[in-house]
Amino acid sequence: MQPDPHPHPHPHPRPVPAAAPHSRPERTSVAIVGAGPAGLLLARLLDRAGVDTVVLESRDRAYVEQRQRAGILEQATVDALRAAGAGDRMDREGLPHDGIELRFDRRAHRVDFPALTGGRGVMVYAQTEVVKDLIALRLADGGPLLFDAEVRAVTGADTDRPVVHYCHEGRERTLHCDYVVGCDGFHGVVRNAVPDAVRTTYERVYPYSWLGILAEAPPVYDELIYAHSARGFALASMRSPSVSRLYLQVPNGTDPADWPDDRIWDELDARFAVDAEPALKLERGPVTAKSVLPMRSHVTEPMRYGRVLLAGDAAHIVPPTGAKGLNLAAADVIVLARALTAWHATGSTAGLDTYSDTCLRRVWRAEHFSYFMTTTLHTDPAQSPFDTRLQLAQLDRVAHSPHAAAELAENYTGLPIPD
């Protein structure tokens, strides 16, 4: 844990003048770098609590709103969006899910989430739509949101006057603030403000990637299908009742151009095949997007240094198998919003002082679950038949043990976010 080296000397933060929607403020309480779901949700929560914020995003609005990422929202994330007034369209258009189907050894088993977790489930609602909703709310409220604002550096992290240096509309600018929150991802700038001497990183790189496609085709099943097969992992997901999101395990370094559409569909059919449904075939449609996603686990500790705090991918990466990435980011900023709100109201830094430790306990639990799902369902190119039998034994235990199934369901639907 990194305590604040300069605790606020007064019971309330310094007053900050309100900024016009399109102004370039030079001073704010909290500078948020990155307009992904983490940064935008944090801004929304703080704005509703009366905490002044400025959001800086290096990309343009069109890029941010089209950036394809996760599509599974845990119950706590759904609840947080609703509480923030950002859940109306999600509730109209999102797809509530009460389970997943595991396919292995040419058989299928459904994991019933509500029955195993006391009623919890998940929501299928794409990150692109979460971002669109939060951007629209931010702009409607008039909060400063600067696109094409490239952050160059953060200085003064270990003082009570950190400064964000950025370029916007061809001019170098500075933003003075009380706190800086890095929601700018794994390759972002803010995490570099944490000196190497106090930063520890943990990483695992997996020997396979995902080939992901979007297709104008209705989903084959009304819930997600996770498939283990001798040919490799496959996942059937969806974006809407008419758009499917599908994934195939492929070797690292795969070029999407080497996978024409027919080859993808044929391979998906082969990996999802089970003996009880020999004629089941995916409904094929035009493939509108195709990309390769490398798989890695990564954690940076601590998530706070002085007046700089990290959230989401800036602090941790999980492989997508457990659907934890966006949800971990949301959990981070929910904890952080509570801490910053308390600081704003009382001057207390207690929540900020424990932010890193509080989040990291949940992060490492999610890292373990994502690792479990990844290594249990994927076929490592170097694994032996013995290793494969161990995977099948674990999947069979989930299918036959209520305790094992409940452990999977509780982690998938999301662990509680600590107060």
Side-chain angles (χ1 to χ4, degrees), residues 6-20:
H6 299 279
H8 207 287
H10 305 294
H12 296 283
R14 293 180 293 275
V16 179

Side-chain angles (χ1 to χ4, degrees), residues 101-115:
E101 184 171 285
L102 299 175
R103 295 195 173 194
F104 61 96
D105 204 21
R106 296 189 65 84
R107 52 196 169 108
H109 173 77
R110 182 175 181 268
V111 180
D112 186 328
F113 291 159

Side-chain angles (χ1 to χ4, degrees), residues 281-314:
K281 298 288 185 181
L282 293 166
E283 185 167 336
R284 303 187 178 195
V287 174
T288 58
K290 191 185 305 183
S291 62
V292 170
L293 175 67
M295 309 277 281
R296 69 151 59 106
S297 301
H298 184 100
V299 179
T300 294
E301 296 185 2
M303 292 172 59
R304 178 193 177 192
Y305 175 72
R307 293 296 184 103
V308 169
L309 304 111
L310 305 178
D313 287 0

Side-chain angles (χ1 to χ4, degrees), residues 384-414:
S384 67
F386 182 86
D387 298 324
T388 301
R389 295 300 298 174
L390 290 178
Q391 291 177 317
L392 295 174
Q394 180 59 54
L395 291 166
D396 187 70
R397 174 169 164 73
V398 172
H400 291 94
S401 165
H403 300 291
E407 177 73 8
L408 188 154
E410 287 172 359
N411 280 277
Y412 197 99
T413 57

Side-chain angles (χ1 to χ4, degrees), residues 44-90:
R44 177 70 176 172
L45 294 172
L46 292 178
D47 287 351
R48 287 167 71 88
V51 183
D52 189 77
T53 63
V54 173
V55 182
L56 304 173
E57 167 58 47
S58 64
R59 302 281 192 163
D60 63 30
R61 180 178 177 179
Y63 179 92
V64 172
E65 292 186 338
Q66 296 168 13
R67 188 163 41 195
Q68 293 291 335
R69 292 291 188 273
I72 308 296
L73 306 182
E74 294 176 357
Q75 186 69 62
T77 305
V78 170
D79 293 343
L81 289 169
R82 287 172 177 157
D88 290 350
R89 193 163 69 94
M90 173 188 70

Side-chain angles (χ1 to χ4, degrees), residues 70-82 90 97 113 120-125 130 318 322-332 334 362 365-367 369-370 408-417:
I72 308 296
L73 306 182
E74 294 176 357
Q75 186 69 62
T77 305
V78 170
D79 293 343
L81 289 169
R82 287 172 177 157
M90 173 188 70
H97 279 198
F113 291 159
R120 296 204 309 272
V122 297
M123 178 81 76
V124 175
Y125 189 63
V130 173
V318 290
K324 295 293 125 192
L326 183 155
N327 295 293
L328 270 183
D332 289 347
I334 291 168
R362 198 174 188 278
R365 179 60 251 166
E367 289 282 356
F369 176 67
S370 299
L408 188 154
E410 287 172 359
N411 280 277
Y412 197 99
T413 57
L415 300 177
I417 299 174

Side-chain angles (χ1 to χ4, degrees), residues 79-326:
D79 293 343
L81 289 169
R82 287 172 177 157
D88 290 350
R89 193 163 69 94
M90 173 188 70
D91 285 331
R92 291 196 308 271
E93 301 178 14
L95 305 174
H97 279 198
D98 288 335
I100 58 172
E101 184 171 285
L102 299 175
R103 295 195 173 194
F104 61 96
D105 204 21
R106 296 189 65 84
R107 52 196 169 108
H109 173 77
R110 182 175 181 268
V111 180
D112 186 328
F113 291 159
L116 294 163
T117 64
R120 296 204 309 272
V122 297
M123 178 81 76
V124 175
Y125 189 63
Q127 174 175 314
T128 52
E129 307 315 300
V130 173
V131 167
K132 289 173 186 175
D133 295 343
L134 290 169
I135 287 175
L137 288 169
R138 176 76 176 180
L139 296 177
D141 290 344
L145 171 53
L146 276 62
F147 292 103
D148 291 311
E150 183 179 356
V151 173
R152 309 288 202 194
V154 175
T155 58
D158 57 348
T159 75
D160 64 353
R161 300 287 194 280
V163 180
V164 178
H165 304 263
Y166 69 100
C167 180
H168 186 242
E169 296 182 342
R171 292 185 58 187
E172 299 294 329
R173 305 180 186 277
T174 57
L175 178 62
H176 298 259
C177 49
D178 293 303
Y179 287 95
V180 181
V181 182
C183 299
D184 50 345
F186 181 78
H187 299 290
V189 172
V190 178
R191 65 202 302 264
N192 294 328
V194 182
D196 290 341
V198 302
R199 182 171 63 183
T200 302
T201 60
Y202 304 88
E203 186 172 58
R204 180 187 182 92
V205 177
Y206 296 86
Y208 33 71
S209 299
W210 277 9
L211 172 65
I213 67 165
L214 276 174
E216 293 180 0
V220 67
Y221 188 58
D222 58 1
E223 294 175 339
L224 274 66
I225 303 175
Y226 287 78
H228 173 287
S229 81
R231 304 174 69 95
F233 169 78
L235 170 61
S237 181
M238 67 282 292
R239 285 292 179 264
S240 74
S242 61
V243 177
S244 290
R245 181 71 164 155
L246 300 143
Y247 300 92
L248 284 170
Q249 176 188 338
V250 294
N252 287 341
T254 292
D255 184 346
D258 294 335
W259 282 80
D261 294 359
D262 286 344
R263 182 187 178 191
I264 292 173
W265 291 114
D266 290 345
E267 190 64 25
L268 287 165
D269 281 336
R271 296 189 192 187
F272 286 124
V274 293
D275 290 338
E277 298 172 346
L280 176 66
K281 298 288 185 181
L282 293 166
E283 185 167 336
R284 303 187 178 195
V287 174
T288 58
K290 191 185 305 183
S291 62
V292 170
L293 175 67
M295 309 277 281
R296 69 151 59 106
S297 301
H298 184 100
V299 179
T300 294
E301 296 185 2
M303 292 172 59
R304 178 193 177 192
Y305 175 72
R307 293 296 184 103
V308 169
L309 304 111
L310 305 178
D313 287 0
H316 41 72
I317 299 285
V318 290
T321 325
K324 295 293 125 192
L326 183 155

